[in-house]
Amino acid sequence: MQDILSRNNYMKDEFPFWITRTVQGSISEHGHEFVELVYVVRGKGMHIFQGSPYEVHAGDVFIINPGETHAYYVESSEQIDIINCLFMPSFISDALLSELEITGSMDYFYVHPFLKHDVRFNHRLNLHGQDADSVQQLLDSMIRELDSRVPGYKTLIRLQMIELLVLLSRYYAMMQQQRVHPSPRQLEREMTARRIYGYLERSFEKKITLQSLSGLFNVSTRQLNRLMREEFNRSVFDVLHEIRMERAKHLLLETDDKVINVATTVGYEDQSFFNRLFLRHVGCSPSQYRTGVEIE
């Protein structure tokens, strides 16, 4: 089993964010409970993601989701200088996203991290020139704010984090435009469905309604299921339940939490409802899944 880095080692609940710049050496495979955004300032090395190696070098930006595993291998003759930005999805609230009306401008946060692995890392975002300078200036400013902790630093860091994600999404969109796509209208429908999927992946433990999603992504409740069925052949709640069941399976195997606590952690207040859903999706009860009992 790989090491799982706990959020408690880096951040507090009231401000779930941490950032540092370091010369990264080789490090064994590990996962973490938080989102990790990495920017390569200079140098090169090998990034092993979910067991597959990818060379990374100056200007590369990539996101590691909670639960995913990665490692670094750096030759003794090489150095790789990186900025690590760690945060929980709750760091930027839904209310703030709604007020700023920017869910459609966050594709590098909502879409790219949930694409297939080979797409994410063979077509990762690589910055140079003014684009690289703009991103590094934002990251450096967040490091200074966190180090100094001058009054107002939390607000500034949140705003800078939003600016960073919007900026990266702009560069990502420009990169996407260089590839062959369907019609603009069809592309927008696909991207909206993927944004919603990415949001569900990041926020599965919240109380989610069609009305809240409608307001966040500026589409009618009627359109939501239609968009998801066109892209994923499933309804919004079918997708949400599948995401929650996968997370529940992980918690049942990797922790000693009681089943009722697992249910609450993945977003279900009613344990009996959770048990029925788990049986339907997995084919056995949560307790049987944990003990490895085979069901005929």
Side-chain angles (χ1 to χ4, degrees):
M1 186 190 307
Q2 292 89 8
D3 290 334
I4 303 296
L5 305 183
S6 170
R7 58 182 290 182
N8 297 328
N9 294 333
Y10 299 93
M11 59 192 75
K12 297 182 179 179
D13 288 343
E14 62 269 22
F15 192 67
F17 176 90
W18 187 76
I19 187 169
T20 190
R21 179 169 173 171
T22 184
V23 176
Q24 180 67 63
S26 296
I27 184 172
S28 60
E29 191 171 8
H30 63 280
H32 34 69
E33 298 176 342
F34 40 78
V35 180
E36 179 177 355
L37 186 148
V38 179
Y39 176 69
V40 182
V41 180
R42 62 171 61 89
K44 65 178 181 178
M46 197 64 69
H47 181 235
I48 297 91
F49 176 75
Q50 299 283 94
S52 298
Y54 303 90
E55 186 175 299
V56 292
H57 46 80
D60 281 346
V61 189
F62 49 92
I63 290 177
I64 310 298
N65 293 313
E68 295 177 335
T69 62
H70 69 136
Y72 291 98
Y73 174 73
V74 183
E75 296 277 2
S76 58
S77 58
E78 297 285 349
Q79 278 193 337
I80 181 169
D81 184 2
I82 66 173
I83 295 177
N84 268 343
C85 182
L86 318 179
F87 59 100
M88 297 299 292
S90 60
F91 181 62
I92 302 173
S93 70
D94 292 353
L96 185 55
L97 291 173
S98 294
E99 186 175 346
L100 296 176
E101 298 181 342
I102 56 170
T103 49
S105 306
M106 298 271 279
D107 289 344
Y108 195 71
F109 184 60
Y110 284 134
V111 177
H112 187 76
F114 299 102
L115 298 178
K116 293 179 180 177
H117 299 165
D118 60 336
V119 176
R120 283 173 64 181
F121 287 93
N122 286 322
H123 301 287
R124 63 189 174 277
L125 189 58
N126 178 262
L127 306 177
H128 50 85
Q130 183 58 53
D131 295 345
D133 290 343
S134 297
V135 165
Q136 189 172 334
Q137 285 170 15
L138 275 171
L139 291 165
D140 287 341
S141 178
M142 284 189 274
I143 292 173
R144 288 193 300 272
E145 289 292 336
L146 191 63
D147 287 345
S148 67
R149 298 179 186 266
V150 172
Y153 78 95
K154 292 181 180 180
T155 300
L156 282 177
I157 289 176
R158 276 197 171 91
L159 293 173
Q160 288 169 338
M161 192 65 201
I162 290 174
E163 184 179 355
L164 175 67
L165 292 173
V166 171
L167 203 57
L168 291 174
S169 298
R170 178 186 294 173
Y171 300 148
Y172 175 66
M174 291 167 63
M175 183 179 75
Q176 292 294 97
Q177 289 169 6
Q178 297 172 7
R179 302 192 182 122
V180 177
H181 283 302
S183 68
R185 183 172 181 274
Q186 181 59 31
L187 176 60
E188 180 57 30
R189 293 171 69 84
E190 290 177 9
M191 293 300 282
T192 300
R194 291 179 184 178
R195 287 168 196 148
I196 295 167
Y197 187 98
Y199 174 81
L200 296 177
E201 284 271 17
R202 293 246 191 260
S203 311
F204 61 86
E205 78 286 356
K206 294 180 180 178
K207 183 177 181 179
I208 293 173
T209 66
L210 289 179
Q211 288 74 21
S212 65
L213 288 175
S214 173
L216 200 55
F217 291 94
N218 197 31
V219 293
S220 70
T221 55
R222 201 170 156 192
Q223 284 180 296
L224 283 169
N225 280 322
R226 185 165 56 200
L227 289 171
M228 295 299 279
R229 288 190 186 282
E230 287 177 358
E231 184 68 11
F232 302 106
N233 201 30
R234 300 191 293 283
S235 72
V236 169
F237 287 108
D238 286 341
V239 170
L240 178 60
H241 291 321
E242 287 178 12
I243 291 168
R244 286 174 168 174
M245 291 303 109
E246 286 302 311
R247 182 59 180 163
K249 286 161 63 177
H250 171 79
L251 292 172
L252 288 166
L253 295 181
E254 300 296 332
T255 73
D256 296 323
D257 289 352
K258 294 180 180 179
V259 171
I260 188 170
N261 292 336
V262 170
T264 302
T265 299
V266 300
Y268 298 106
E269 297 178 0
D270 185 338
Q271 185 184 345
S272 61
F273 179 63
F274 168 73
N275 289 341
R276 291 196 300 273
L277 272 177
F278 195 93
L279 178 61
R280 185 198 312 164
H281 282 264
V282 184
C284 62
S285 72
S287 299
Q288 289 170 325
Y289 183 81
R290 169 172 271 167
T291 56
V293 174
E294 293 187 3
I295 306 300
E296 297 182 357

